[in-house]
Amino acid sequence: MREALNHWDFVIAAYAVGVLGTLALVAWSWLSMRAAESRRDKARGR
């Protein structure tokens, strides 16, 4: 007797990890950019 595994659970999990990782990277980059712009503005005396 053989049981087949449902592969769709793993496919959905892989997509979820990919999408969440991408969103986290975008948020981190955006926050870093804002901090760098703030430091630049302080250095220019604005």
Side-chain angles (χ1 to χ4, degrees):
M1 182 168 206
R2 181 175 167 227
E3 291 186 30
L5 293 175
N6 186 2
H7 66 281
W8 283 109
D9 294 334
F10 298 103
V11 172
I12 292 169
Y15 273 106
V17 167
V19 168
L20 291 175
T22 301
L23 290 175
L25 184 62
V26 167
W28 181 33
S29 299
W30 183 73
L31 290 172
S32 296
M33 179 188 65
R34 297 275 309 225
E37 289 174 345
S38 176
R39 286 193 307 270
R40 181 199 61 196
D41 289 342
K42 284 181 184 177
R44 289 184 176 180
R46 291 185 188 181

